[in-house]
Amino acid sequence: GAQAVVRLLDGCTERDLVVALISGGGSALLPLPAEGISLAEKQELTEKLLRCGATIHELNTVRKHISLTKGGKLARAAYPATVINLMLSDVAGNDPDTIAAGPFVPDRSRFQDAAAILEGYGLMGTVAPSIVAHIRRGIESENRMPAPSGEAFEKVTNVIVADNRMACLAARSKAEELGYAALVLACEMGGNTADAAMVHAAIAKEVLASGHPVCAPACIISGGETTVVVKGHGKGGRNQEFALVSAREISRAPGHIVVLSGGTDGTDGPTDAAGGMVDTLSSGRGRDKGLEIGAYLAANDSYHYLKATGDLLMTGPTRTNVMDIHIVLVEKA
C-alpha cells in the first residue's frame, strides 16, 4: 500500500493537486522501511519502544529515520505538485511533523536524535543490526531529512482540522448543558499513566472536601496521551490502566465519583476496548469476585479486571483520533 502511494505521487506534475488526509495511526498504516530494513525488524523496534514507555514524539523520531515515507518524504515524492495536507491531530502540541510521523512535513530531528533515543532506553544493542547500521550511516554522513527550506515544502499547505482541545471543549459544553460545573484541566496531559490518574482522583476528592477547584456536581475534563512502562504480561492499554488506578484511589471517597478514560479512536492498546469507566464501587465489585487491584496493576492486566467488574468502555471504532480524553464526575453523597 505504501509503495502504491509513493508510485502515485512520483507521477505528479506541477499541474496536479494532492489532498492528503492524515490522522493518528497514519504512521502505522504507511510503513515503507529504508533499504536493507525489513518490516518485521521495524515492527520489533516499535514494540520495544512502546514497552519502554517511549512518547509518540520519541517513537516517531526514530521511525522517521528508517522510513521512505515519513519525515517529509511524501512531500518530496509529490513535488512539483501542490499539496493540501489536512490533519487530525493525535499528538500534544499539534506538532505537524509528529502527526503520523509527518509524511508531508519537514522534519527537525536528526539521525543523532534517533540514536540518542535508542541509547537512552538501552535498545541500541537489542534492535536489528540493519537499523543500527542505517542510523550510524546517517550520522556519519550528517544526513538530515528533507530540509525545512527545501522547495518541496514551498508547495505544501498544512492545516489542523481537529484536535484534543476541540474534543475537551465539546465535552465541557455538554457537561454544562447537563448541569455540571465543568472544568478543563489540560489538553496536553502526559507523563506516567498511574501518576496522572492519581492526580485526577485527588482533585475529585478535593471537590468533595472543599469545593475546589469547582463545586459539586462537577465534571473535570482533561485530554492528552500518557504512557505506561510495561512490566507485566497482562492485557490492557493506558486508558484501562488509568481507569483501574482511579478505581483504587476513589474507592473510599465520601461521595460519588465516576472516572472515564478512553481513546477517542475507540481503541486502547491491543484490545477491543476504548478504555475504562469506573466508580467508587468498582474495587468492591472486584473484591466480591476475589480480584485484587494491586496484583492486576503489577501484571499490567487492567483489561481482565475491568471486564470482570463490567467497567470496560466499549465504543467500537469512532473513525477519528484526537488522543485520549479523561472525564471525572463528582457528586456529594
Side-chain angles (χ1 to χ4, degrees):
Q3 290 171 338
V5 169
V6 172
R7 285 196 299 270
L8 176 66
L9 294 177
D10 278 338
C12 288
T13 71
E14 62 183 6
R15 298 187 62 182
D16 290 312
L17 172 65
V18 176
V19 180
L21 308 177
I22 304 297
S23 72
S27 51
L29 291 171
L30 199 67
L32 190 57
E35 186 177 353
I37 300 173
S38 71
L39 180 58
E41 289 170 337
K42 186 177 179 182
Q43 289 170 319
E44 180 188 33
L45 166 69
T46 301
E47 176 66 19
K48 287 181 175 179
L49 283 167
L50 288 171
R51 291 184 70 86
C52 288
T55 67
I56 187 62
H57 293 82
E58 293 172 324
L59 186 63
N60 281 350
T61 294
V62 176
R63 290 195 289 194
K64 286 179 199 176
H65 289 83
I66 61 171
S67 171
L68 296 178
T69 57
K70 301 171 176 56
K73 289 189 173 71
L74 290 191
R76 187 164 58 185
Y79 184 80
T82 296
V83 178
I84 298 175
N85 186 28
L86 306 178
M87 293 173 286
L88 283 169
S89 175
D90 70 325
V91 299
N94 294 344
D95 193 347
D97 72 359
T98 301
I99 302 169
F104 289 95
V105 181
D107 182 35
R108 295 167 293 175
S109 64
R110 304 174 68 93
F111 279 95
Q112 184 61 58
D113 298 319
I117 291 167
L118 293 179
E119 290 168 353
Y121 286 110
L123 296 178
M124 193 61 94
T126 69
V127 300
S130 60
I131 292 176
V132 176
H134 179 79
I135 290 176
R136 284 178 175 162
R137 283 195 299 271
I139 294 173
E140 290 169 3
S141 62
E142 296 186 346
N143 266 349
R144 191 171 179 173
M145 308 296 271
S149 59
E151 59 183 1
F153 300 106
E154 294 174 359
K155 303 194 74 174
V156 178
T157 300
N158 295 303
V159 183
I160 303 288
V161 295
D163 62 7
N164 188 266
R165 179 165 285 103
M166 218 177 274
C168 287
L169 293 177
R172 184 183 69 181
S173 177
K174 184 63 177 180
E176 290 173 342
E177 179 185 318
L178 294 171
Y180 289 94
L183 172 69
V184 175
L185 284 181
C187 300
E188 296 186 15
M189 190 69 63
N192 181 273
T193 298
D195 293 341
M198 288 190 286
V199 167
H200 283 68
I203 293 173
K205 288 185 280 190
E206 186 64 31
V207 169
L208 291 172
S210 69
H212 291 99
V214 288
C215 292
C219 177
I220 299 161
I221 302 160
S222 74
E225 189 170 291
T226 60
T227 56
V228 177
V229 177
V230 180
K231 297 179 180 179
H233 299 284
K235 183 177 180 180
R238 59 179 177 265
N239 287 290
Q240 292 161 72
E241 184 129 338
F242 189 107
L244 190 52
V245 172
S246 298
R248 180 191 66 192
E249 296 297 310
I250 65 177
S251 62
R252 299 183 183 278
H256 302 303
I257 301 174
V258 177
V259 179
L260 178 150
S261 182
T264 56
D265 60 355
T267 303
D268 183 42
T271 76
D272 57 355
M277 183 167 61
V278 300
D279 56 37
T280 46
L281 303 178
S282 293
S283 64
R285 290 195 293 273
R287 283 194 302 274
D288 291 343
K289 295 178 179 291
L291 310 179
E292 202 278 306
I293 288 181
Y296 278 80
L297 287 173
N300 294 116
D301 199 20
S302 52
Y303 178 90
H304 289 111
Y305 185 101
L306 296 173
K307 184 176 183 179
T309 57
D311 292 322
L312 284 175
L313 177 65
M314 308 292 287
T315 64
T318 64
R319 314 294 182 194
T320 191
N321 186 1
V322 289
M323 296 195 288
D324 302 333
I325 191 163
H326 316 295
I327 300 174
V328 183
L329 303 181
V330 187
E331 293 188 3
K332 292 184 177 181

